[in-house]
Amino acid sequence: AHLLLIGRGMTNDNSEVTTLIRELGLTNHVTLAGPRQDIPAVMNGIDLHVLGSAFGEAFPNVLSEAMCCGTPCVATDVGDSATIVGDTGRIVPPRDPKALARAILELTPHLSDRAIHAACRDRILVNFTLEHMVAGYIRVWRESIAEVKAINE
């Protein structure tokens, strides 16, 4: 396995991270890529996306970006992660590294199954497109207007 760490602070300049990688003997198994702008290319180039957030994120876009590229996900149960991933990946409690590792190991043997990749992409295209979001906003606005009208009558 090879771990690709992306984001702010995930660079060789981060001595805390590089020291930990070296101490664990993982130097040849970890790439620190830093912040990236080519997310579709990255997501298409990995086998599994892991979001190990410990704190709530309203709607972690990174999950939908990975899944739209057909990349299965393991994520912690923060924000809308469980709603986004559904039954196409694995959701584990936050701050539970053993559960996160088990979920990764559970999903890994199935990563060559094209049906999983198609299910990830389909889930996003059916439930989380821009059109879907706009329709949701319109529905909420209409319901709100109806409630205001009912109150004022």
Side-chain angles (χ1 to χ4, degrees):
H2 193 88
L3 180 63
L4 175 63
L5 296 174
I6 297 173
R8 191 172 358 143
M10 297 296 111
T11 65
N12 290 323
D13 296 335
N14 185 331
S15 61
E16 185 178 349
V17 172
T18 56
T19 299
L20 183 60
I21 291 168
R22 189 173 48 258
E23 287 174 354
L24 293 172
L26 298 173
T27 304
N28 294 326
H29 300 283
V30 178
T31 298
L32 299 172
R36 300 291 296 248
Q37 300 299 317
D38 58 343
I39 297 303
V42 170
M43 294 303 178
N44 278 299
I46 61 176
D47 297 314
L48 178 67
H49 182 270
V50 178
L51 177 66
S53 294
F55 304 100
E57 298 186 34
F59 187 94
N61 286 323
V62 68
L63 293 175
S64 58
E65 291 167 343
M67 291 173 63
C68 195
C69 292
T71 304
C73 296
V74 172
T76 50
D77 194 4
V78 296
D80 286 329
S81 294
T83 301
I84 297 167
V85 172
D87 62 358
T88 67
R90 300 288 187 277
I91 299 295
V92 301
R95 297 181 194 90
D96 189 343
K98 288 182 181 179
L100 190 64
R102 276 193 306 273
I104 292 167
L105 291 173
E106 280 177 18
L107 199 53
T108 299
H110 306 286
L111 294 178
S112 61
D113 183 351
R114 295 173 88 69
I116 290 173
H117 300 279
C120 290
R121 183 168 170 73
D122 290 348
R123 180 162 179 82
I124 298 305
L125 295 177
V126 168
N127 297 294
F128 301 106
T129 62
L130 180 59
E131 292 81 10
H132 189 307
M133 182 187 71
V134 169
Y137 276 118
I138 291 171
R139 185 181 65 251
V140 168
W141 290 333
R142 287 182 177 155
E143 290 169 2
S144 298
I145 290 169
E147 287 178 24
V148 169
K149 285 181 179 179
I151 290 170
N152 290 332
E153 291 179 348

